[in-house]
Amino acid sequence: MDHQALEMDSGEKRLNELGYKQELRREMSLFKTLAITFSCMSVFTGTPLYGQSLRYAGPATMIWGWLVVTFFTWFVGIAMAEICSSFPTTGSLYFWAAHLAGPRWGPFASWCCAWLETIGLVSAIGAQAYSGSQALQMLILLATGTNKGGGYFASRSVFLCMYMGLTIAWAVLNTFALQVIAFLNIISIWWQVIGGFLMIIMLPLVAQPTQTASYVFTHFETSPEATGVSSIPYAVILSVLLSNYCLYGYDAAAHLTEETKGADRTGPIAILSSIGIISVFGWAYYLALTFSIRDLDYLYNEDNETAGALVPAQIIYDAFYGRFQNSTGAVIFLCIIWGSFFFCGLSVTTTAARAVYAVSRDKCLPLSPIWRKVHPRSKVPINAVWLCAAISMLLGLPILKLDVVFTAILSVSTIGWVGSYAVPIFARLVMAEDNFKPGPFYLGRARRPVCLVAFLWICYTCSIFLLPTSYPLRWKTFNYAPIALSVALALIMLWWVLDARKWYKGPVRNIDAQNGNH
């Protein structure tokens, strides 16, 4: 027995103490976990939002806003890292919420958190599929002769097919063993690092002449005639949405803790490293784009080479066409961006399936026994993977009629995903310190101020994603995220009050039966 105890992984030992037996394969290294987390965050995530953000309040707000958001994101990351170090389980966030909120509030906290997280992660697959389809649409357009030269611009129905195709491809790849995904994510980390470096260094070099530093760092202008937003503080808040959207997703490391060696140490390291890498890389990418702008108004013109559909694509096209009189370079760069969305969607699907598996293991979803089945050979929750894919495809159907689908899917995914961080962080803030068993990464006295700042920042982030993004309000431009979320959350709360509170007791321990035999 002692020999076994010596051999046992520190993460597995803590998992057993928490009442779970090891079911998933524990073979991921820190580098592989970091690769998946890094892919979930992705350097180019904000590409579809860049044009809008630039237009609300000019370059300076967007560039400095990134630094402000990064600063507050560190508080959230540090608070999460401390909790992850103490609770290395796959159900991560809602499991943390249940334990930290104590026996009285635990079931309710964990119920809210589990649902927020599931809604956020599943709609995040849709947000990535939309971004990937948009990059592909631009790629095809520029490769077949641009909007001015009779290139092919995908119609709404073709766009929807691209969206569906990406979602299905990710689901198929996710039915293989986690080793396959981990291998693809190692390609992904190099793809993003090398592609990111290429873009950040090459783009301003190709785009001669570039904008001046004073334009990029100090120029502020709102465009009320285009956006309908004339209030300066409101324009600034909307301009910074780009950064709020890019800087989350680092909890992916926590979802893989049951499959990672020494997870009580590697989980926190992966969370904090990915925030560090993405904040630096992302900022450099948006700087490179902004320095390379040729003619600001032309970027939004519907008669330009990219049909005014994706501003970064036009910036890249202008740079290469201005220098080499052809669009080959722009097509290559768009391939890098598209590849990044492909890998990002793949790892978000992995994370979403793990979350669905964990909440059905605790009987939180309807038809739980189906979703928690693990394939005997590959050890992957295949039914959960396809459930996530099916829901994301349904979310994409309004693409056929509405332009604001992306805003809505993106808002729902951010509010759900980031909102689920708030529950365990708030519980950690108010709980008695004696009830907390610290892991290797421990904040000590600093935890109250860190958790308070983190919690307030999450509340701010969630509220700004509910705001309308253009005026005057019309059916075609309306941000329907608040309605979708209110309906979903009302149903979930109603279910809790009428039925679930009677039987849902939070995470279900599955090790007690064995321990009784000792």
Side-chain angles (χ1 to χ4, degrees):
M1 182 69 203
D2 292 340
H3 177 67
Q4 264 183 319
L6 285 173
E7 292 296 302
M8 191 184 264
D9 179 275
S10 60
E12 184 175 340
K13 184 163 173 280
R14 180 73 182 122
L15 187 69
N16 291 350
E17 284 171 20
L18 291 167
Y20 281 98
K21 58 176 184 282
Q22 182 72 39
E23 289 186 291
L24 302 164
R25 283 196 186 136
R26 195 181 279 276
E27 51 193 12
M28 304 274 284
S29 61
L30 171 63
F31 182 69
K32 285 179 182 167
T33 303
L34 186 59
I36 290 185
T37 313
F38 186 74
S39 302
C40 267
M41 291 182 77
S42 162
V43 179
F44 304 112
T45 305
T47 305
L49 284 178
Y50 174 87
Q52 247 183 330
S53 300
L54 185 65
R55 209 168 198 186
Y56 286 125
T61 316
M62 189 174 68
I63 296 300
W64 292 111
W66 181 274
L67 296 184
V68 174
V69 174
T70 303
F71 173 75
F72 286 107
T73 300
W74 277 108
F75 283 91
V76 184
I78 290 167
M80 302 264 286
E82 184 199 39
I83 302 171
C84 177
S85 183
S86 174
F87 300 108
T89 71
T90 287
S92 61
L93 299 169
Y94 78 97
F95 184 93
W96 302 348
H99 276 263
L100 296 170
R104 187 167 166 215
W105 290 102
F108 180 64
S110 114
W111 174 264
C112 298
C113 191
W115 275 104
L116 276 171
E117 188 179 11
T118 310
I119 291 171
L121 280 164
V122 174
S123 43
I125 303 175
Q128 290 309 320
Y130 193 99
S131 308
S133 309
Q134 206 177 23
L136 191 58
Q137 183 184 36
M138 289 298 110
L139 244 171
I140 296 168
L141 181 64
L142 292 184
T144 53
T146 76
N147 186 36
K148 284 183 162 174
Y152 176 73
F153 185 75
S155 62
R156 281 176 190 257
S157 48
V158 174
F159 190 92
L160 182 63
C161 292
M162 292 175 178
Y163 176 98
M164 299 284 184
L166 278 170
T167 313
I168 292 169
W170 293 330
V172 169
L173 284 168
N174 265 293
T175 54
F176 297 107
L178 193 71
Q179 288 306 76
V180 177
I181 301 290
F183 173 72
L184 287 170
N185 277 297
I186 288 173
I187 299 175
S188 160
I189 200 169
W190 292 116
W191 180 280
Q192 299 205 51
V193 169
I194 296 167
F197 266 123
L198 260 176
M199 205 113 173
I200 291 160
I201 295 161
M202 291 282 294
L203 193 58
L205 286 177
V206 171
Q208 298 296 346
T210 52
Q211 294 289 346
T212 59
S214 74
Y215 172 77
V216 174
F217 291 108
T218 62
H219 185 69
F220 175 87
E221 73 174 308
T222 57
S223 13
E225 65 294 333
T227 58
V229 177
S230 47
S231 141
I232 289 180
Y234 194 9
V236 168
I237 286 173
L238 290 177
S239 176
V240 180
L241 275 181
L242 168 81
S243 321
N244 292 98
Y245 174 58
C246 296
L247 290 166
Y248 71 92
Y250 33 85
D251 61 304
H255 291 281
L256 298 164
T257 42
E258 284 184 36
E259 297 164 74
T260 309
K261 297 170 186 154
D264 47 351
R265 283 187 179 74
T266 49
I269 295 172
I271 290 174
L272 298 175
S273 320
S274 47
I275 296 178
I277 299 168
I278 291 287
S279 53
V280 172
F281 253 95
W283 199 54
Y285 169 57
Y286 299 113
L287 277 175
L289 278 177
T290 314
F291 269 111
S292 308
I293 293 172
R294 276 267 159 113
D295 170 1
L296 186 66
D297 294 327
Y298 184 61
L299 294 177
Y300 299 95
N301 184 339
E302 288 186 6
D303 299 326
N304 68 16
E305 285 80 2
T306 54
L310 185 63
V311 167
Q314 186 65 37
I315 295 176
I316 296 166
Y317 174 83
D318 287 347
F320 279 97
Y321 191 80
R323 175 62 77 88
F324 304 113
Q325 272 64 58
N326 68 30
S327 55
T328 316
V331 170
I332 293 169
F333 271 23
L334 277 169
C335 279
I336 295 175
I337 294 178
W338 180 82
S340 152
F341 285 131
F342 182 83
F343 287 126
C344 183
L346 184 68
S347 18
V348 171
T349 309
T350 309
T351 310
R354 294 297 176 285
V356 168
Y357 158 75
V359 294
S360 9
R361 181 169 69 177
D362 294 332
K363 308 185 176 61
C364 196
L365 291 182
L367 306 176
S368 281
I370 301 175
W371 316 126
R372 69 160 181 266
K373 276 206 172 81
V374 174
H375 189 273
R377 213 175 44 247
S378 64
K379 297 280 189 224
V380 170
I382 292 178
N383 296 355
V385 170
W386 285 104
L387 177 68
C388 296
I391 298 171
S392 312
M393 290 200 262
L394 288 175
L395 285 176
L397 290 177
I399 289 172
L400 291 171
K401 285 279 174 271
L402 294 167
D403 294 326
V404 286
V405 175
F406 183 63
T407 314
I409 292 181
L410 174 146
S411 304
V412 170
S413 84
T414 310
I415 294 165
W417 199 340
V418 179
S420 66
Y421 295 3
V423 185
I425 289 175
F426 182 72
R428 175 80 185 101
L429 175 69
V430 296
M431 75 184 285
E433 192 57 20
D434 312 343
N435 301 340
F436 184 74
K437 183 183 174 184
F441 183 90
Y442 179 53
L443 291 175
R445 287 212 176 139
R447 65 135 182 157
R448 279 244 153 88
V450 168
C451 290
L452 181 65
V453 173
F455 178 71
L456 294 173
W457 178 249
I458 293 170
C459 293
Y460 162 77
T461 302
C462 292
S463 53
I464 57 175
F465 275 96
L466 292 170
L467 299 171
T469 50
S470 64
Y471 287 88
L473 291 178
R474 292 200 187 90
W475 279 115
K476 277 201 147 182
T477 56
F478 182 65
N479 177 3
Y480 61 89
I483 298 176
L485 269 168
S486 316
V487 171
L489 295 177
L491 288 172
I492 290 162
M493 287 302 144
L494 198 64
W495 185 14
W496 171 260
V497 172
L498 297 179
D499 177 44
R501 67 194 169 90
K502 298 170 192 154
W503 53 262
Y504 181 72
K505 297 290 176 253
V508 180
R509 296 165 67 96
N510 62 6
I511 209 168
D512 289 345
Q514 297 170 275
N515 286 359
N517 305 335
H518 285 305

Short mmCIF file of all heavy atoms in Angstrom, two decimals, residues 194-208 210 288 292 319-320 323-324 329 333 336:
data_model
loop_
_atom_site.label_atom_id
_atom_site.label_comp_id
_atom_site.label_asym_id
_atom_site.label_seq_id
_atom_site.Cartn_x
_atom_site.Cartn_y
_atom_site.Cartn_z
N ILE A 194 4.58 30.86 -34.77
CA ILE A 194 5.32 31.23 -35.99
C ILE A 194 4.48 32.17 -36.85
O ILE A 194 4.95 33.21 -37.32
CB ILE A 194 5.76 29.97 -36.76
CG1 ILE A 194 6.74 29.15 -35.91
CG2 ILE A 194 6.41 30.33 -38.09
CD1 ILE A 194 7.00 27.74 -36.41
N GLY A 195 3.17 31.79 -37.02
CA GLY A 195 2.27 32.64 -37.81
C GLY A 195 2.14 34.02 -37.19
O GLY A 195 2.15 35.04 -37.89
N GLY A 196 2.02 34.05 -35.86
CA GLY A 196 1.89 35.33 -35.16
C GLY A 196 3.12 36.19 -35.36
O GLY A 196 3.03 37.38 -35.69
N PHE A 197 4.32 35.60 -35.19
CA PHE A 197 5.57 36.35 -35.40
C PHE A 197 5.65 36.89 -36.82
O PHE A 197 5.99 38.05 -37.04
CB PHE A 197 6.80 35.45 -35.15
CG PHE A 197 7.32 35.55 -33.75
CD1 PHE A 197 7.42 34.44 -32.93
CD2 PHE A 197 7.70 36.79 -33.24
CE1 PHE A 197 7.89 34.54 -31.62
CE2 PHE A 197 8.18 36.91 -31.93
CZ PHE A 197 8.27 35.78 -31.12
N LEU A 198 5.34 36.02 -37.80
CA LEU A 198 5.39 36.42 -39.21
C LEU A 198 4.53 37.66 -39.44
O LEU A 198 4.95 38.63 -40.05
CB LEU A 198 4.83 35.29 -40.08
CG LEU A 198 5.84 34.39 -40.77
CD1 LEU A 198 5.11 33.28 -41.50
CD2 LEU A 198 6.68 35.21 -41.76
N MET A 199 3.30 37.57 -38.91
CA MET A 199 2.33 38.64 -39.14
C MET A 199 2.78 39.94 -38.47
O MET A 199 2.72 41.00 -39.06
CB MET A 199 1.03 38.20 -38.50
CG MET A 199 -0.14 38.82 -39.09
SD MET A 199 -0.95 37.45 -39.86
CE MET A 199 -2.41 38.14 -40.39
N ILE A 200 3.23 39.79 -37.20
CA ILE A 200 3.57 40.98 -36.40
C ILE A 200 4.78 41.69 -37.00
O ILE A 200 4.87 42.91 -37.00
CB ILE A 200 3.81 40.55 -34.93
CG1 ILE A 200 2.48 40.12 -34.30
CG2 ILE A 200 4.45 41.66 -34.11
CD1 ILE A 200 2.61 39.24 -33.07
N ILE A 201 5.75 40.91 -37.53
CA ILE A 201 6.97 41.52 -38.05
C ILE A 201 6.81 41.93 -39.52
O ILE A 201 7.16 43.04 -39.92
CB ILE A 201 8.17 40.56 -37.88
CG1 ILE A 201 8.43 40.35 -36.38
CG2 ILE A 201 9.42 41.09 -38.56
CD1 ILE A 201 9.24 39.13 -36.06
N MET A 202 6.22 41.01 -40.33
CA MET A 202 6.17 41.24 -41.78
C MET A 202 5.18 42.35 -42.18
O MET A 202 5.46 43.14 -43.05
CB MET A 202 5.75 39.96 -42.50
CG MET A 202 6.75 38.85 -42.47
SD MET A 202 8.06 39.14 -43.66
CE MET A 202 7.16 39.01 -45.20
N LEU A 203 4.00 42.35 -41.53
CA LEU A 203 2.94 43.24 -42.00
C LEU A 203 3.37 44.72 -42.03
O LEU A 203 3.28 45.36 -43.07
CB LEU A 203 1.67 43.03 -41.17
CG LEU A 203 0.40 43.66 -41.73
CD1 LEU A 203 0.09 43.12 -43.13
CD2 LEU A 203 -0.79 43.41 -40.81
N PRO A 204 3.90 45.25 -40.90
CA PRO A 204 4.32 46.66 -40.95
C PRO A 204 5.49 46.88 -41.92
O PRO A 204 5.64 47.97 -42.48
CB PRO A 204 4.75 46.97 -39.51
CG PRO A 204 4.12 45.91 -38.69
CD PRO A 204 4.04 44.70 -39.55
N LEU A 205 6.34 45.82 -42.13
CA LEU A 205 7.47 45.97 -43.07
C LEU A 205 6.97 46.09 -44.50
O LEU A 205 7.49 46.87 -45.29
CB LEU A 205 8.43 44.77 -42.96
CG LEU A 205 9.32 44.72 -41.73
CD1 LEU A 205 10.16 43.45 -41.74
CD2 LEU A 205 10.24 45.94 -41.67
N VAL A 206 5.94 45.27 -44.83
CA VAL A 206 5.41 45.28 -46.20
C VAL A 206 4.62 46.57 -46.43
O VAL A 206 4.69 47.18 -47.49
CB VAL A 206 4.51 44.04 -46.42
CG1 VAL A 206 3.76 44.15 -47.75
CG2 VAL A 206 5.34 42.77 -46.39
N ALA A 207 3.86 46.99 -45.39
CA ALA A 207 2.95 48.13 -45.55
C ALA A 207 3.70 49.45 -45.43
O ALA A 207 3.59 50.14 -44.44
CB ALA A 207 1.86 48.07 -44.49
N GLN A 208 4.50 49.78 -46.42
CA GLN A 208 5.16 51.09 -46.38
C GLN A 208 4.32 52.07 -47.20
O GLN A 208 3.83 51.69 -48.24
CB GLN A 208 6.57 50.97 -46.98
CG GLN A 208 7.47 50.02 -46.21
CD GLN A 208 7.76 50.49 -44.79
OE1 GLN A 208 7.50 51.65 -44.45
NE2 GLN A 208 8.28 49.62 -43.95
N THR A 210 4.00 53.36 -43.18
CA THR A 210 3.07 52.97 -42.10
C THR A 210 2.53 54.23 -41.42
O THR A 210 3.01 55.33 -41.65
CB THR A 210 3.80 52.12 -41.04
OG1 THR A 210 4.97 52.83 -40.64
CG2 THR A 210 4.17 50.75 -41.56
N ALA A 288 0.39 45.75 -34.97
CA ALA A 288 0.86 45.56 -36.36
C ALA A 288 -0.25 45.94 -37.33
O ALA A 288 0.00 46.62 -38.34
CB ALA A 288 1.28 44.10 -36.56
N SER A 292 -0.37 49.37 -39.93
CA SER A 292 -0.39 49.09 -41.37
C SER A 292 -1.59 49.67 -42.11
O SER A 292 -1.76 49.43 -43.30
CB SER A 292 -0.36 47.58 -41.60
OG SER A 292 0.70 47.01 -40.89
N ALA A 319 -1.77 46.26 -47.84
CA ALA A 319 -0.32 46.25 -47.61
C ALA A 319 0.38 45.49 -48.74
O ALA A 319 1.34 45.99 -49.34
CB ALA A 319 -0.02 45.60 -46.27
N PHE A 320 -0.09 44.28 -49.05
CA PHE A 320 0.59 43.45 -50.06
C PHE A 320 0.37 43.98 -51.47
O PHE A 320 1.29 43.99 -52.29
CB PHE A 320 0.13 41.99 -49.95
CG PHE A 320 0.84 41.26 -48.87
CD1 PHE A 320 0.26 41.10 -47.62
CD2 PHE A 320 2.12 40.74 -49.08
CE1 PHE A 320 0.94 40.43 -46.60
CE2 PHE A 320 2.79 40.08 -48.08
CZ PHE A 320 2.21 39.93 -46.83
N ARG A 323 2.51 46.97 -52.21
CA ARG A 323 3.93 46.71 -52.39
C ARG A 323 4.19 45.84 -53.62
O ARG A 323 5.11 46.10 -54.39
CB ARG A 323 4.45 46.02 -51.11
CG ARG A 323 5.89 45.56 -51.13
CD ARG A 323 6.88 46.72 -51.32
NE ARG A 323 7.09 47.50 -50.12
CZ ARG A 323 8.00 47.20 -49.19
NH1 ARG A 323 8.75 46.13 -49.32
NH2 ARG A 323 8.15 47.96 -48.16
N PHE A 324 3.40 44.77 -53.81
CA PHE A 324 3.73 43.78 -54.87
C PHE A 324 2.72 43.72 -56.02
O PHE A 324 2.85 42.88 -56.91
CB PHE A 324 3.83 42.37 -54.25
CG PHE A 324 4.81 42.28 -53.12
CD1 PHE A 324 4.37 42.04 -51.82
CD2 PHE A 324 6.17 42.43 -53.34
CE1 PHE A 324 5.28 41.95 -50.76
CE2 PHE A 324 7.08 42.35 -52.29
CZ PHE A 324 6.64 42.12 -51.00
N GLY A 329 0.35 37.39 -51.04
CA GLY A 329 0.77 37.51 -49.64
C GLY A 329 -0.43 37.59 -48.72
O GLY A 329 -0.45 36.98 -47.63
N PHE A 333 -1.44 35.12 -45.58
CA PHE A 333 -1.70 35.60 -44.22
C PHE A 333 -3.10 35.23 -43.75
O PHE A 333 -3.31 34.90 -42.59
CB PHE A 333 -1.50 37.13 -44.15
CG PHE A 333 -0.08 37.52 -43.84
CD1 PHE A 333 0.96 36.64 -44.10
CD2 PHE A 333 0.22 38.75 -43.27
CE1 PHE A 333 2.28 36.99 -43.80
CE2 PHE A 333 1.54 39.11 -42.97
CZ PHE A 333 2.56 38.22 -43.24
N ILE A 336 -3.11 31.78 -42.47
CA ILE A 336 -2.60 31.68 -41.09
C ILE A 336 -3.74 31.98 -40.10
O ILE A 336 -3.95 31.25 -39.13
CB ILE A 336 -1.44 32.69 -40.86
CG1 ILE A 336 -0.23 32.32 -41.74
CG2 ILE A 336 -1.04 32.74 -39.39
CD1 ILE A 336 0.92 33.31 -41.68
#
